[in-house]
Amino acid sequence: MPVPSQQIRYILSGGGDGWEILHRARQLAAAGDPPLNLCVGEHDEPTPPEILAAMDASARGGHTGYAGLAGTPGLRRALAERVSARQGVPVGPSNIVVTGGGQGALFYALNAMLDPGDAAVVIDPYYTVYPGTIRTAGGVPRIARARTENGFQPDFATLDAACDGAKALLVNTPNNPTGAIYSGETLEMIAEICIRRDLWLISDEVYDGMSFARPHRSPAALPGMAERTVVVGSMSKSYAMCGFRCGWAAGPEGLIKLMTDLALNVAYGQPGFVMDAAEFALGRPDIEARICGTFARRHEIARRALAGAQAARAGASDGAMYLMIDIRPTGLSGRDFARLMIEEERIAVMPGESFGEAAAGHVRATLTLPDDQLHTALTRLAEVAGDLAAGRRAAPAA
Ligand code: PLP
């Protein structure tokens, strides 16, 4: 028998099944007993009908053939304008490649930066697919742990040590899974390390519309960074277009050219009608403001639901669609607490351990339920954590 690729078999190595709770939630829903689901980073509202109409008109108008490797000229222009304004880096269409979601941009960027065996650093807790995407590019993931006590901002000594001898650093602000927004000092520290150690930076900013506590800032805008940074963006989160699989990478022209060569050999470009829908959406900032505003409101609701809870403490989450909740006073791991919540309360949250070791003893809640259900779910979660911590409720046998 021929042997499959070692590299691809190794993609998921080292991780447990972080999606166990999500699978269970889906199983319960299929059996007619759906939990309140705070597991998935996907909107509870559908894609706005105006965007669907734009896609429909484009497809019916005939834009159903191969549509250009790096993206349509119109979308690349619209994205260049957006990145120039939002990220604060003056770019043109030749600095943009349209990809299959932000995920596609991560894949292209890592492949364009890494040679086999090169190390790329990720900050723990991390978006679950980062290590696997690095491995897919032949790279070796290295972990720099951030601490809950620091609001999940990385600290200099840990990050600098992890970057020793690495080729690339991957950061994400506003952050999934923590909801943290990196401070100005954190961004400057990241830039200093990248320049001194001559690293590529991938700055995953797919939540750049959801920076609620302060205006969004990109490390790409800091002096000396534009030439070594690829900004990853996406229509998925800001426009409720997850299933459209439309994202982009913005970066130095030479690297974008390599990524476009990859696009030729991987996907042969993205669908024209999807790109036309994205271009339409980018011309409607009111849609982005409304969708992102929902999550600003829900951060407030979540904070109110957990206010005063001693055993379920909301972390410094003021961006994206996530809240990391510290449940260590219960004495349970995030995994055991999440299991108890779904089995006994029908509330689904992700164990912090699914995102690395730094979030052990935490659970991540996505703010993707209608306001009243979100409030109910988090109020109940806080009560259960309080009862466990006070010994009023027994932890289930392992
Ligand atoms: N980056 C982060 C931090 C994410 O949370 C996600 C999705 O959840 C992505 C990238 C990929 O999103 P998409 O491929 O839908 O654009």
Side-chain angles (χ1 to χ4, degrees), residues 19 22 26 37-44 127 176-177 206-207 210 236-238 240-243 245 295 320-322 350 355 364-368:
W19 300 103
L22 176 61
R26 290 200 169 133
N37 194 341
L38 300 172
C39 272
V40 202
E42 188 166 10
H43 315 71
D44 46 313
Y127 173 46
N176 177 13
V206 301
Y207 298 101
M210 299 185 190
S236 293
K237 311 295 175 172
S238 288
M241 291 172 70
C242 293
R245 313 307 306 126
F295 294 98
M321 38 170 69
Y322 309 101
M350 287 287 279
F355 308 98
R364 184 195 77 171
T366 60
L367 309 180
T368 49

Side-chain angles (χ1 to χ4, degrees), residues 139-192:
V140 179
R142 259 200 219 158
I143 308 292
R145 218 176 266 188
R147 293 203 311 277
T148 187
E149 290 72 21
N150 269 352
F152 288 117
Q153 309 268 328
D155 71 82
F156 175 78
T158 310
L159 187 59
D160 193 46
C163 288
D164 187 18
K167 185 86 176 285
L169 168 63
L170 173 43
V171 300
N172 169 223
T173 180
N175 188 270
N176 177 13
T178 64
I181 297 173
Y182 285 178
S183 65
E185 298 83 74
T186 299
L187 297 180
E188 276 155 28
M189 172 187 82
I190 287 167
E192 193 276 320

